[in-house]
Coordinates of all heavy atoms in Angstrom, one line a residue:
G11 N 32.7 138.9 99.1 CA 33.7 138.4 98.1 C 33.1 138.2 96.7 O 33.7 138.6 95.7
L12 N 31.9 137.6 96.7 CA 31.3 137.4 95.4 C 30.7 138.7 94.8 O 30.7 138.8 93.6 CB 30.1 136.4 95.6 CG 30.5 135.0 96.1 CD1 29.3 134.1 96.4 CD2 31.4 134.3 95.0
R13 N 30.3 139.6 95.7 CA 29.7 140.8 95.2 C 30.7 141.9 94.9 O 30.6 142.6 93.9 CB 28.7 141.3 96.3 CG 27.9 142.6 95.9 CD 27.0 142.4 94.7 NE 26.3 143.6 94.4 CZ 26.8 144.6 93.6 NH1 28.0 144.5 93.1 NH2 26.1 145.7 93.4
F14 N 31.7 142.0 95.8 CA 32.6 143.2 95.7 C 34.1 142.7 95.5 O 35.0 143.5 95.5 CB 32.6 144.0 96.9 CG 31.2 144.6 97.2 CD1 30.5 144.1 98.3 CD2 30.6 145.5 96.4 CE1 29.2 144.6 98.6 CE2 29.4 146.0 96.6 CZ 28.7 145.6 97.7
D15 N 34.3 141.4 95.4 CA 35.7 140.9 95.2 C 36.6 141.2 96.4 O 37.8 141.3 96.2 CB 36.3 141.4 93.9 CG 37.5 140.5 93.5 OD1 37.5 139.3 93.8 OD2 38.4 141.1 92.8
T16 N 36.0 141.3 97.6 CA 36.7 141.5 98.8 C 36.2 140.6 99.9 O 35.1 140.8 100.4 CB 36.6 143.0 99.3 OG1 37.1 143.8 98.2 CG2 37.5 143.2 100.5
Y17 N 36.9 139.6 100.2 CA 36.4 138.6 101.2 C 36.7 139.1 102.6 O 37.7 138.7 103.2 CB 37.1 137.2 101.0 CG 36.6 136.6 99.7 CD1 37.2 136.8 98.5 CD2 35.5 135.7 99.7 CE1 36.8 136.2 97.3 CE2 35.0 135.1 98.5 CZ 35.7 135.4 97.3 OH 35.2 134.8 96.2
A18 N 35.8 140.0 103.1 CA 36.0 140.6 104.4 C 34.6 141.1 104.9 O 33.7 141.2 104.1 CB 37.0 141.8 104.4
L19 N 34.5 141.3 106.2 CA 33.3 141.9 106.7 C 32.9 143.2 106.1 O 31.8 143.5 105.9 CB 33.3 141.9 108.2 CG 33.3 140.6 109.0 CD1 33.3 140.9 110.5 CD2 32.0 139.8 108.7
A20 N 34.0 144.1 106.0 CA 33.7 145.4 105.5 C 34.9 145.8 104.6 O 36.1 145.6 105.0 CB 33.6 146.4 106.6
R21 N 34.7 146.3 103.5 CA 35.8 146.7 102.6 C 36.5 147.9 103.1 O 35.9 148.9 103.5 CB 35.2 147.0 101.2 CG 34.6 145.8 100.5 CD 34.2 146.2 99.1 NE 33.2 147.3 99.1 CZ 33.2 148.2 98.2 NH1 34.0 148.2 97.2 NH2 32.3 149.1 98.2
G22 N 37.8 147.8 103.1 CA 38.7 148.9 103.6 C 38.7 149.1 105.0 O 39.3 150.1 105.5
G23 N 38.1 148.3 105.8 CA 38.1 148.5 107.3 C 39.4 148.6 107.9 O 39.7 149.3 108.8
N24 N 40.4 147.7 107.4 CA 41.7 147.7 108.0 C 42.6 148.9 107.6 O 43.6 149.1 108.1 CB 42.4 146.4 107.7 CG 41.7 145.2 108.3 OD1 41.2 145.3 109.3 ND2 41.8 144.1 107.6
A25 N 42.1 149.7 106.6 CA 42.9 150.8 106.1 C 42.5 152.1 106.5 O 43.0 153.1 106.1 CB 42.9 150.7 104.5
I26 N 41.4 152.2 107.3 CA 40.8 153.5 107.6 C 41.7 154.4 108.4 O 42.0 155.5 108.0 CB 39.5 153.3 108.4 CG1 38.4 152.7 107.5 CG2 39.0 154.6 109.0 CD1 37.1 152.4 108.2
I27 N 42.3 153.8 109.5 CA 43.1 154.7 110.3 C 44.4 155.1 109.6 O 44.8 156.3 109.6 CB 43.4 153.9 111.7 CG1 42.1 153.8 112.4 CG2 44.5 154.7 112.5 CD1 42.3 153.0 113.7
P28 N 45.2 154.2 109.0 CA 46.5 154.6 108.4 C 46.2 155.6 107.2 O 46.9 156.5 107.0 CB 47.2 153.4 107.9 CG 46.1 152.3 108.0 CD 45.1 152.7 109.0
F29 N 45.1 155.3 106.4 CA 44.8 156.2 105.3 C 44.4 157.6 105.8 O 44.8 158.6 105.2 CB 43.7 155.6 104.4 CG 43.4 156.5 103.2 CD1 44.2 156.5 102.1 CD2 42.3 157.3 103.3 CE1 43.9 157.3 101.0 CE2 42.0 158.1 102.2 CZ 42.8 158.1 101.1
Y30 N 43.6 157.6 106.9 CA 43.2 158.9 107.5 C 44.4 159.7 107.8 O 44.6 160.9 107.5 CB 42.4 158.6 108.7 CG 41.8 159.9 109.4 CD1 40.6 160.4 109.1 CD2 42.6 160.6 110.3 CE1 40.1 161.5 109.7 CE2 42.1 161.7 110.9 CZ 40.9 162.2 110.6 OH 40.4 163.3 111.3
R31 N 45.4 159.1 108.5 CA 46.6 159.8 108.9 C 47.4 160.2 107.7 O 47.9 161.4 107.7 CB 47.4 158.8 109.8 CG 48.8 159.4 110.2 CD 48.7 160.6 111.1 NE 50.0 161.1 111.4 CZ 50.7 160.8 112.5 NH1 50.2 159.9 113.4 NH2 51.9 161.3 112.7
A32 N 47.6 159.3 106.7 CA 48.4 159.6 105.6 C 47.8 160.7 104.7 O 48.5 161.6 104.2 CB 48.6 158.4 104.7
F33 N 46.4 160.8 104.6 CA 45.8 161.7 103.8 C 45.5 163.1 104.4 O 45.8 164.1 103.8 CB 44.4 161.1 103.3 CG 43.7 162.0 102.3 CD1 44.1 162.0 101.0 CD2 42.6 162.7 102.7 CE1 43.4 162.8 100.1 CE2 41.9 163.5 101.8 CZ 42.3 163.5 100.5
I34 N 45.1 163.0 105.7 CA 44.7 164.3 106.3 C 45.8 164.9 107.1 O 46.0 166.1 107.1 CB 43.5 164.0 107.2 CG1 42.2 163.7 106.4 CG2 43.1 165.3 108.1 CD1 41.0 163.4 107.2
D35 N 46.6 164.1 107.8 CA 47.6 164.7 108.7 C 49.0 164.8 108.0 O 49.6 165.9 108.1 CB 47.8 163.8 110.0 CG 46.5 163.9 110.9 OD1 45.8 164.9 110.8 OD2 46.3 162.9 111.6
D36 N 49.4 163.8 107.4 CA 50.8 163.8 106.8 C 50.8 164.2 105.4 O 51.9 164.6 104.9 CB 51.4 162.4 106.9 CG 51.6 161.9 108.3 OD1 51.7 162.8 109.2 OD2 51.6 160.7 108.6
H37 N 49.7 164.2 104.7 CA 49.6 164.6 103.3 C 50.6 163.9 102.4 O 51.3 164.6 101.6 CB 49.7 166.2 103.2 CG 48.8 166.9 104.0 ND1 47.4 167.0 103.8 CD2 49.0 167.6 105.1 CE1 46.8 167.7 104.7 NE2 47.7 168.1 105.5
I38 N 50.7 162.6 102.5 CA 51.7 161.9 101.7 C 51.0 161.0 100.7 O 51.7 160.2 100.0 CB 52.6 161.0 102.6 CG1 51.8 160.1 103.5 CG2 53.4 161.9 103.5 CD1 52.6 159.1 104.3
V39 N 49.7 161.1 100.5 CA 49.1 160.3 99.5 C 49.3 161.0 98.1 O 49.1 162.2 98.0 CB 47.6 160.2 99.7 CG1 46.9 159.5 98.6 CG2 47.3 159.5 101.1
S40 N 49.7 160.3 97.2 CA 50.1 160.8 95.9 C 50.0 159.8 94.8 O 50.2 158.6 95.0 CB 51.5 161.4 95.9 OG 52.0 161.7 94.6
P41 N 49.6 160.2 93.6 CA 49.5 159.2 92.5 C 50.9 158.6 92.1 O 50.9 157.6 91.5 CB 49.0 160.0 91.3 CG 49.2 161.4 91.7 CD 49.1 161.5 93.2
K42 N 51.9 159.2 92.6 CA 53.3 158.6 92.4 C 53.6 157.5 93.3 O 54.7 156.8 93.1 CB 54.3 159.7 92.5 CG 54.1 160.9 91.6 CD 55.2 162.0 91.9 CE 55.0 163.2 91.0 NZ 55.9 164.3 91.3
N43 N 52.7 157.2 94.3 CA 53.1 156.2 95.3 C 53.0 154.7 94.8 O 53.7 153.9 95.3 CB 52.2 156.3 96.5 CG 52.4 157.6 97.3 OD1 53.4 158.2 97.1 ND2 51.5 157.9 98.2
G44 N 52.2 154.5 93.7 CA 52.1 153.2 93.2 C 50.8 152.9 92.5 O 50.0 153.9 92.3
E45 N 50.5 151.7 92.1 CA 49.4 151.3 91.3 C 48.1 151.7 92.0 O 47.1 152.2 91.4 CB 49.4 149.9 90.9 CG 48.2 149.4 90.1 CD 48.1 150.1 88.8 OE1 49.1 150.6 88.3 OE2 46.9 150.2 88.3
A46 N 48.0 151.3 93.3 CA 46.7 151.6 94.1 C 46.5 153.1 94.1 O 45.3 153.5 94.0 CB 46.8 151.0 95.5
S47 N 47.5 153.9 94.3 CA 47.3 155.3 94.4 C 46.9 155.9 93.0 O 46.1 156.8 92.9 CB 48.6 156.0 94.8 OG 48.9 155.6 96.2
R48 N 47.4 155.3 92.0 CA 47.0 155.8 90.6 C 45.6 155.4 90.3 O 44.8 156.2 89.7 CB 47.9 155.1 89.6 CG 49.3 155.8 89.5 CD 50.1 155.3 88.3 NE 50.5 153.9 88.4 CZ 51.6 153.5 89.0 NH1 52.5 154.4 89.5 NH2 51.9 152.2 89.0
R49 N 45.1 154.2 90.8 CA 43.7 153.9 90.6 C 42.8 154.8 91.4 O 41.8 155.2 90.9 CB 43.5 152.4 91.1 CG 44.1 151.4 90.2 CD 43.9 150.0 90.8 NE 42.5 149.7 91.0 CZ 42.0 148.8 91.9 NH1 42.9 148.0 92.5 NH2 40.7 148.6 92.0
L50 N 43.2 155.2 92.6 CA 42.5 156.1 93.4 C 42.4 157.5 92.7 O 41.3 158.1 92.7 CB 43.1 156.3 94.8 CG 42.5 157.4 95.7 CD1 41.1 157.1 96.1 CD2 43.3 157.5 97.0
T51 N 43.5 157.9 92.2 CA 43.6 159.2 91.5 C 42.6 159.2 90.3 O 41.9 160.2 90.1 CB 45.0 159.5 91.0 OG1 45.9 159.5 92.2 CG2 45.1 160.8 90.3
A52 N 42.6 158.1 89.5 CA 41.8 158.1 88.4 C 40.3 158.1 88.8 O 39.5 158.7 88.1 CB 42.1 156.8 87.6
A53 N 40.0 157.4 89.8 CA 38.6 157.3 90.3 C 38.1 158.7 90.8 O 37.0 159.1 90.5 CB 38.4 156.3 91.4
M54 N 39.0 159.4 91.5 CA 38.7 160.7 92.0 C 38.5 161.7 90.8 O 37.6 162.6 90.8 CB 39.8 161.2 92.9 CG 39.8 160.4 94.2 SD 41.3 160.8 95.2 CE 41.1 162.5 95.7
Q55 N 39.4 161.6 89.8 CA 39.3 162.5 88.6 C 38.0 162.3 87.9 O 37.3 163.2 87.5 CB 40.5 162.2 87.7 CG 40.5 163.1 86.5 CD 40.9 164.5 86.8 OE1 42.0 164.7 87.3 NE2 40.0 165.4 86.5

């Protein structure tokens, strides 16, 4: 939490399975989905 601003054992651990499905199988990840998706898009760019 102090180092990465995420108070958890591992960052993103709870999102691995749904993101994998959404990104690889369903292909529904898009910058139009919301603020988090736009941040991801900017980081990837």
Side-chain angles (χ1 to χ4, degrees):
L12 296 173
R13 180 67 178 84
F14 302 112
D15 198 28
T16 301
Y17 291 89
L19 287 180
R21 295 186 300 144
N24 294 330
I26 290 176
I27 294 178
F29 181 78
Y30 182 96
R31 173 67 182 267
F33 184 74
I34 294 182
D35 293 337
D36 297 334
H37 305 291
I38 58 175
V39 178
S40 168
K42 301 177 181 179
N43 291 346
E45 177 60 28
S47 297
R48 286 191 290 272
R49 289 178 56 199
L50 173 64
T51 302
M54 293 167 66
Q55 180 74 60

